Each structure stands twice: as C-alpha cells, then as structure tokens.
Amino acid sequence: MPPCTEPSSADAAASLWRHRDFRRYLTGQAASVAGSSITQMALPVLAVLHLDATTAQVAWLAFLGQLPPALLALHAGALADRHSKRRQMITGDLVSATVLATVPVSAALGTLTLTQLMIVAVVQGAASVLHDAAAISLLPSLVDRPLIQRSNSRVGALFAVAATAGSHLGAALTALLGPARALLGDVASYLISAVCTARVQTAEPARVRPETRRLRGEIGEGLRYVRGDDRLWTLTLVNATTSFALGLLNTLWALYLLRSLAMSATAFGVVLGLGALGAAAGALTAPALARRRGPGPMMLAALAITPLTQLPLLLASPGRAWQITIGAALFVQLACAGAAGTTQRSIRQIVTTAGMQARMQAVSTWLTSGARPVAALLAGALGTWIGVRPALTAGTLLLLIPLVVLAHSPIRALRNMPDPPAAPLPSPPAARTSPPAVPTPARTDDTRHDRALGGDAS
C-alpha cells in the first residue's frame, strides 16, 4: 500500500467540497452542534428561572447529562462497529428529538417538572452517545485516508463556529420565545441531522463479524486493540489527562471571571467568542502546520503552550486590560487545542482498521468522559478547601501531564502522517467455511459533543 501522503491544498479542498456525501455529513453534524448549544443555553435558564431549581438540583441536572457517555460509550462503539453507523446515527437523532420535544409540550400544558428535565437529560445523553460513536467513526469510510486530516480540520473549524452561533441563537430564542420553546430549535437540528445522514450514499465497509457474538467480547477486543498499539494508547492517555485538567479548570473558570475578576456578562461573552475563533483557526491551520513541522512536534508544541495560556488568568486583577489579555490567551489556548485535537484524531483514524474505528473512538470517549465528572468534583473540593485561584493553579499544573506523556513517546518525533494499516491477506479458498463477504464499492469521501471547542471531544 502506498504511503499516506497528503495531496496538495488545492486538490484536497476541491476533492472535499465536490464530495456530496461529505457535504451532507458536515451539514447535518454542524446543525446538530448548533442545536446542542441552544439547549445548553436554554435548559439552565428553564431550570433556574422557571422551575426554581436549587444549586444542588442544577448540579444534579448537569451530572445526569454527563453520566451516559461515561457509562455507555464502550457499548455504543461496539454497536457501531457491529451494525450500520448511519442507522445508529439516525436512531440517536430521532430519539433525542422526540424526548426533547416533550419539554415545550409539557411547559405549554403546565405539567413540566424538574424530574422530567432530569429524565430528558439522561435519555438525550444516552441517544447522543449512540449518535456520536457512529458519527466520528463514519468519517474514514466517507473520505480517502490521505484526506482524513483535512476533513477533520474542516469539521473542527465549522463545529467551533456552529457552537458559537448556536449559543447566540439560543440566547435570542430564549429572549423571544422563552426557554422551553427555544428548545424547539434543537429539535429541528436533530431532524436536519437525521435527514442529512439518511442522504449519505457512500457504502460502509462490510461487517464480517458474526452478530451473535456477545457485546462484552467486542468491547474487550476494542480495549485490547487500543492498549496494544502504542500510538493509539499514547494519544488516548493524552486526551484523557487533558480532559481531566480542563474539566477542573472549566468548573471554576466562569465563577472566577464573573465573581473574582468582576467581569460583566457582555465581556464574558466576548471572551468566549474569541475562544471559538481560536478553535476554528487552530483546526483550519492544523494540516499546514503538520506538514511544515511534523504532526508530532506540532502537537508537542501545542501541549507546551497550553499551560502558559493560563498564566494571565492566574495573574489577572479586575480591569479592561486584563480582560483583553485573558481573551487573547483563550484564543491561543483553543487554537492549540484545535490544532492538536484534529491532528491526533486524524492519526488515530488513519492507523485504525475499518472494523475497529468506532470501538477505538469509544475507548477515548469513555476515558475522557469519565474524567470530567471526577475533575468537577475535585474542582469543587479544592475550591472550597484552598480557594478558587489555588485550585486553578493546580489545574494548570495538571496540564503538564499530557505534555510529559507525549514527550516520552515516539510520537513526539513523528514527521509525517502515518501510513494506514496494511489490508489483511485473503484466506485461501479451502480454509473458508462460510461464503465470503461481499466487497463494498470503492470509497469516495467528524460530531456532536466534543463538540467542546478543543475537546476530543475525543
């Protein structure tokens, strides 16, 4: 198999934008990201201002929303490798749209309760896990492997912009229609995502694994597969440790800016907008940076810069100059996250065989999602015991761990994107005991929640 060399920028861009299935995939997933941002804006307003939720109840609502990825990611990945990824994505979208639509209906009837919101958070979270496991792992079957990094670059940039646009749209809809009816915007986004996914025509790789095999065995196979490949295991550890550190920082970040630094809501929104622009810029420039510096050195530099971007936050005092400095630092931080995130995701997708794509991604999602609730609890404990600024200092020091992990692995010196795995040799005809799998047509052409601006979202 020829090396995985990347085509020229013009050829790659033309190939992607002429690819109808990639455009459909990108449109559906971007709509879904924007819709999720509407819910993230409207749901807390609905709980706090309309249902008089206490601090503990708001915390429980957030916790229940984060629980499904930690519990179900491995199962969702195994299901996506076993069945049709597109069908799993559409099912997740339709379940999410249905359960979310019950909120404005109940609000109109005057029967909405916090218990219902919590149930909706759990069901929607579980459906989103099913969708995301399939959506991320579908990309390598849509585009040729040399185009994977450029595809992830466009996905990451568009998702950052869509998340910001969705937040602004959510605020506008909440003001005009009220928080309950504003959720109809997210319902519509799920339906758009389902329609776009249904119109994707590129054939998925044939699934030759017998479906009678127990799901637990396939989950274990995925765990062993990731653990057995040094590249996958290193990048998964980098994701998980980064997610833990950022989970601690993000839990206290808004509280520190709004209360300790007396930042206004308008200034806070501007700072978040700068961060979104940074994430988009980092994702878009990742392929060029990887070509010039090498993907390994580029990711290592991004991880080294990230802790430094926290210094303005730790040194700041109230005032416009510090607000501008913090906004600029967040831009750089999320640019680094966007560049490193799209690159590491592309490497993992390139080196993983077609039948393991969803389970490989699920292992990363499981570890990163499981790290966030633990980090949030630790942030609350540290903020209470030693204060918010010392807790933020501890989170900044934790950002050195993924840097050390990558620096002690061979990936730090990776100068080119790796080659894809060699295709397995066909079995001799005499050794077959069942009819061979029907080959799929030749391939021609990334996702809802990490979805967080710089996350791996896994």
Side-chain angles (χ1 to χ4, degrees):
M1 183 172 293
C4 187
T5 56
E6 190 163 330
S8 68
S9 299
D11 291 344
S15 298
L16 287 175
W17 297 130
R18 284 201 305 261
H19 198 309
R20 286 183 298 177
D21 281 348
F22 178 73
R23 294 201 309 267
R24 290 165 179 165
Y25 171 88
L26 194 60
T27 300
Q29 300 313 300
S32 190
V33 169
S36 290
S37 296
I38 294 175
T39 294
Q40 291 167 7
M41 170 66 67
L43 204 61
V45 175
L46 182 61
V48 174
L49 299 184
H50 291 257
L51 297 177
D52 297 321
T54 65
T55 302
Q57 289 170 329
V58 171
W60 269 105
L61 186 61
F63 174 77
L64 291 172
Q66 294 176 347
L67 196 58
L71 297 180
L72 302 178
L74 293 176
H75 299 80
L79 287 172
D81 277 336
R82 175 185 285 193
H83 303 295
S84 166
K85 293 177 173 61
R86 290 198 295 272
R87 189 179 300 123
Q88 184 165 317
M89 290 167 63
I90 293 169
T91 300
D93 282 333
L94 295 180
V95 170
S96 292
T98 301
V99 69
L100 195 60
T102 66
V103 175
V105 171
S106 296
L109 296 175
T111 59
L112 183 63
T113 64
L114 273 169
T115 300
Q116 180 180 342
L117 284 187
M118 291 180 181
I119 294 172
V120 167
V122 172
V123 176
Q124 185 185 9
S128 294
V129 171
L130 287 173
H131 175 279
D132 294 350
I136 298 176
S137 58
L138 180 65
L139 181 65
S141 67
L142 294 181
V143 302
D144 293 325
R145 297 226 171 194
L147 295 176
I148 283 181
Q149 188 185 21
R150 198 165 293 276
S151 301
N152 278 320
S153 168
R154 280 150 178 73
V155 168
L158 186 58
F159 282 12
V161 174
T164 303
S167 296
H168 293 310
L169 179 59
L173 291 175
T174 299
L176 291 174
L177 306 176
R181 281 179 288 185
L183 296 177
L184 292 173
D186 197 9
V187 173
S189 79
Y190 282 116
L191 298 178
I192 293 172
S193 176
V195 170
C196 290
T197 302
R199 296 185 64 197
V200 172
Q201 298 175 352
T202 303
E204 297 180 37
R207 292 170 293 279
V208 299
R209 183 177 291 103
E211 297 189 3
T212 55
R213 185 176 176 184
R214 297 187 64 181
L215 200 63
R216 182 182 300 177
E218 297 189 16
I219 291 173
E221 185 181 12
L223 289 167
R224 290 190 296 273
Y225 184 85
V226 172
R227 185 64 184 90
D229 188 305
D230 288 340
R231 297 166 299 181
L232 292 176
W233 184 239
T234 295
L235 294 175
T236 299
L237 288 180
V238 168
N239 285 340
T241 51
T242 301
S243 180
F244 185 85
L246 292 178
L248 191 155
L249 291 167
N250 291 342
T251 300
L252 301 172
W253 194 68
L255 176 67
Y256 182 69
L257 291 181
L258 296 172
R259 183 173 295 173
S260 300
L261 299 184
M263 186 177 288
S264 67
T266 300
F268 184 65
V270 171
V271 167
L272 292 181
L274 287 172
L277 290 176
L284 285 174
T285 57
L289 291 173
R291 283 196 307 272
R292 293 173 185 170
R293 304 299 180 187
M298 186 269 281
M299 290 190 294
L300 194 65
L303 290 176
I305 292 171
T306 299
L308 300 178
T309 63
Q310 289 293 119
L311 294 180
L313 184 69
L314 300 177
L315 300 174
S317 56
R320 179 67 57 85
W322 277 113
Q323 292 174 2
I324 295 173
T325 303
I326 290 172
L330 184 63
F331 178 94
V332 174
Q333 181 187 97
L334 292 188
C336 291
T342 57
T343 302
Q344 61 83 14
R345 186 184 301 114
S346 300
I347 292 172
R348 290 189 291 120
Q349 290 172 337
I350 289 171
V351 304
T352 300
T353 57
M356 298 296 297
Q357 285 283 344
R359 280 173 288 173
M360 175 277 295
Q361 180 60 40
V363 174
S364 179
T365 301
W366 175 58
L367 289 174
T368 56
S369 299
R372 289 169 191 151
V374 177
L377 292 176
L378 179 60
L382 289 177
T384 301
W385 293 338
I386 64 177
V388 174
R389 190 181 297 231
L392 290 172
T393 303
T396 301
L397 293 175
L398 287 175
L399 284 172
L400 297 174
I401 296 178
L403 173 63
V404 172
V405 171
L406 188 63
H408 284 78
S409 76
I411 294 179
R412 72 184 185 278
L414 189 65
R415 303 298 303 183
N416 298 291
M417 297 300 286
D419 294 339
L425 296 176
S427 303
R432 287 194 175 112
T433 58
S434 58
V438 178
T440 57
R443 288 185 288 108
T444 56
D445 187 324
D446 195 27
T447 315
R448 192 167 166 109
H449 286 318
D450 231 10
R451 264 189 171 117
L453 292 177
D456 183 49
S458 299

